[in-house]
Amino acid sequence: MKRIIYIIFCTFLISCGQYNAELENALKLAGENRGELEKVLYHYSQNPSDSLKLQAATFLIENMPEHYTLEGSLINACRERIDADTTASYFTKKTLDISLSHIDQFRHTANKKEDVQNIKAEFLIRHIDRSFENLNSYSWLEDIPFDLFLEYILPYRFANERPDLWIDSLHLSPKALQELLFSDDVKYTITKMEYALKFSEATTSFQSHFIQELLRQDIYRDCQHITTQRNFKSRASCLPVAIDFIPDYANRNGYHYWNKIISPESKNSEISGALERKTAKVYRKTYSRHPLIKSKTTEYIPEFFKNPFLLDVSNEYLQTTDVSIHVPKYLKNSSDYAYLCVFNNLKWTPIAIGYIAHASVKFNDMGKI
C-alpha cells in the first residue's frame, strides 16, 4: 500500500492454535468447516508481508457468524430462472439475487445456510487477494484508513444472496479510469467517484417472462431495492459504501434506505431522498458484529434489536439527545428492557431500546424532532 505505514501486533499465534475470543468463537461455530477457515489464517501467517491480509482474514472470519445465504425451494427455483436468462448481464442477475433476500415471500419460505459452516478457503483467499489488488491500484484508495477498508470495501457479502466471486466478474472500464488521470479534483476524492466509474461490461436487462412478472411487483421502485443495487455497484467499483436507513418515520408512515459513501474526507450528513420527513433514529448495516442485547429473563425482544449487524448512526445525521424516563416500581421488575416507539402504519413500532436500571431507563442519541 502506497501511503499506509503500519505496525500490526497479532493477538493470536496461528502456529500454536491460540486465537482471540471472537475468532475462536467463530471457529467453534464452524464445526466441520473449521479446517477451511484455519487454512486461510495459516496461508496468510507464513509471510510477514501478508500481515495486513492476515488481519483482513481475521476480520472476515471473526465477524462471519450469523451471515448466511437463504435457500429453499421457492427462492432456489427463482434463482434457476434468473441463471437461465441468457440476455441479462452478470450485474443485473447478481443485483436481483441480492434483492430476493429482501422479499417476504422468499424470506418466509427459506432456510439459512450459515457462512461460517460453508465458506471455503479457496473462495476467501481469492476474494482477499483481489481486494488488496484493488486497494493498491486505485488512486482514490491511497489514503483510506485501513479500518474503513475492512468494513466498507473488503466484505464479500451484501445481504443473504449466494456468495460468489463477483470481484472477478465485474471490471472497471479502462476508458473511465484513463479519463480520471486528467481529473485531479476527482481521482483522489472518494465522494466524487460514484458517477465517474463504469463497468467494462454492458448492463443488459432480463427477457424472461417470469422475471419480468417478478419485476412488475415494483421491487425496484422501493428504496430498499434501489439502495441494494447502488450499494452493489459502488462496492464493486471499489468505493467504501454503507446502507443507512430510517426503520420507521416519526411523523408519517413508511421507512427509508439510502446508499452512503463513507469517506474520511467528508462528513456528509444529508439523508438522501428524505425531504421533510422526520426521524428519531438512523441505523447502518455493517459486516462487523456489534454487542447483542441479552436478557436475564425469557422476556420477548423484537427481532430488530437482536440483529448484530446494525449500528446506530443517528448522531451522524441528527441533532440528538439522551432521553431518560422514569419506570414505575410495579414495572421495574417485570422486564430488563423498555422501548421507545413511533406510530407508523397504524401500529406502535419500537425504534430504540434501553436497559431499565434504578427505576429509570435511558435511550441514547434520540433525534430531536
Side-chain angles (χ1 to χ4, degrees):
M1 201 180 307
K2 296 177 182 177
R3 301 183 185 178
I4 295 181
I5 300 175
Y6 62 88
I7 299 175
I8 297 178
F9 295 95
C10 292
T11 57
F12 53 86
L13 300 175
I14 299 297
S15 59
C16 297
Q18 298 177 6
Y19 306 105
N20 65 56
E22 292 78 10
L23 184 57
E24 178 58 36
N25 178 64
L27 293 173
K28 286 181 179 178
L29 292 173
E32 295 181 357
N33 197 51
R34 176 173 182 143
E36 288 291 320
L37 301 181
E38 287 188 320
K39 283 181 187 177
V40 181
L41 299 172
Y42 179 79
H43 175 79
Y44 291 123
S45 68
Q46 300 307 294
N47 191 332
S49 65
D50 284 335
S51 56
L52 275 184
K53 291 184 179 180
L54 177 59
Q55 188 173 347
T58 301
F59 173 83
L60 289 177
I61 295 171
E62 68 186 9
N63 289 292
M64 196 176 287
E66 295 187 66
H67 285 291
Y68 59 86
T69 300
L70 282 178
E71 289 198 343
S73 57
L74 189 60
I75 195 170
N76 289 348
C78 187
R79 284 168 173 157
E80 289 178 5
R81 298 276 191 105
I82 293 173
D83 294 342
D85 191 304
T86 58
T87 60
S89 64
Y90 170 82
F91 174 82
T92 302
K93 292 181 179 182
K94 179 69 175 180
T95 302
L96 183 53
D97 188 18
I98 296 170
S99 289
L100 292 182
S101 60
H102 296 307
I103 301 175
D104 286 344
Q105 70 187 77
F106 296 120
R107 292 198 66 84
H108 295 163
T109 58
N111 300 311
K112 298 177 181 179
K113 184 177 179 181
E114 298 287 345
D115 286 4
V116 74
Q117 297 174 353
N118 292 279
I119 293 293
K120 301 307 177 187
E122 182 180 4
F123 168 83
L124 211 54
I125 289 171
R126 177 60 180 169
H127 180 84
I128 292 171
D129 285 347
R130 285 286 289 110
S131 296
F132 274 82
E133 288 174 19
N134 292 338
L135 177 63
N136 294 319
S137 297
Y138 300 126
S139 59
W140 60 92
L141 298 179
E142 287 186 3
D143 293 319
I144 188 171
F146 192 60
D147 61 331
L148 295 190
F149 167 75
L150 292 178
E151 182 66 70
Y152 301 113
I153 296 180
L154 177 67
Y156 57 88
R157 172 177 290 292
F158 299 88
N160 304 121
E161 76 283 2
R162 295 169 293 180
D164 68 346
L165 287 170
W166 53 267
I167 202 166
D168 280 342
S169 300
L170 292 169
H171 306 90
L172 292 178
S173 165
K175 180 180 179 182
L177 292 173
Q178 183 67 26
E179 291 174 351
L180 285 177
L181 296 176
F182 305 99
S183 304
D184 288 337
D185 62 331
V186 174
K187 67 181 180 181
Y188 293 111
T189 309
I190 292 173
T191 53
K192 295 183 178 181
M193 298 298 300
E194 188 172 12
Y195 300 104
L197 298 174
K198 299 177 182 179
F199 296 132
S200 297
E201 301 80 1
T203 302
T204 51
S205 302
F206 290 102
Q207 295 299 318
S208 163
H209 177 71
F210 170 82
I211 301 299
Q212 291 295 333
E213 287 296 318
L214 179 65
L215 296 179
R216 286 194 186 99
Q217 297 180 25
D218 289 335
I219 65 171
Y220 284 144
R221 297 178 68 177
D222 181 278
C223 62
Q224 186 172 11
H225 297 284
I226 293 171
T227 299
T228 295
Q229 183 177 27
R230 290 178 177 172
N231 184 261
F232 175 46
K233 180 182 183 298
S234 296
R235 180 98 64 80
S237 301
C238 302
L239 297 175
V241 291
I243 292 178
D244 290 355
F245 68 100
I246 298 168
D248 292 276
Y249 283 119
N251 66 333
R252 53 160 290 165
N253 292 337
Y255 53 83
H256 187 54
Y257 288 72
W258 63 97
N259 200 43
K260 172 70 177 290
I261 298 290
I262 306 296
S263 171
E265 71 206 11
S266 172
K267 298 297 182 183
N268 179 18
S269 60
E270 177 184 358
I271 299 179
S272 174
L275 303 177
E276 296 303 318
R277 304 166 192 174
K278 296 182 178 180
T279 180
K281 275 295 180 187
V282 179
Y283 292 92
R284 174 171 297 160
K285 294 185 177 184
T286 64
Y287 178 83
S288 60
R289 298 170 57 84
H290 306 287
L292 288 172
I293 298 298
K294 295 182 179 179
S295 176
K296 299 175 184 177
T297 67
T298 58
E299 70 175 287
Y300 169 76
I301 295 177
E303 287 298 317
F304 182 84
F305 299 107
K306 293 192 288 186
N307 186 339
F309 308 114
L310 296 182
L311 177 66
D312 186 343
V313 292
S314 302
N315 59 11
E316 292 188 20
Y317 290 95
L318 313 169
Q319 291 185 351
T320 62
T321 188
D322 295 341
V323 176
S324 293
I325 299 175
H326 173 71
V327 177
K329 186 177 295 185
Y330 68 90
L331 290 176
K332 185 178 69 171
N333 297 324
S334 64
S335 61
D336 291 328
Y337 295 96
Y339 306 91
L340 275 184
C341 301
V342 294
F343 192 69
N344 190 304
N345 198 26
L346 300 180
K347 62 181 180 181
W348 288 102
T349 304
I351 59 168
I353 185 171
Y355 183 74
I356 299 173
H358 307 297
S360 69
V361 57
K362 184 170 76 171
F363 300 95
N364 297 318
D365 294 327
M366 299 302 304
K368 294 180 180 182
I369 57 175

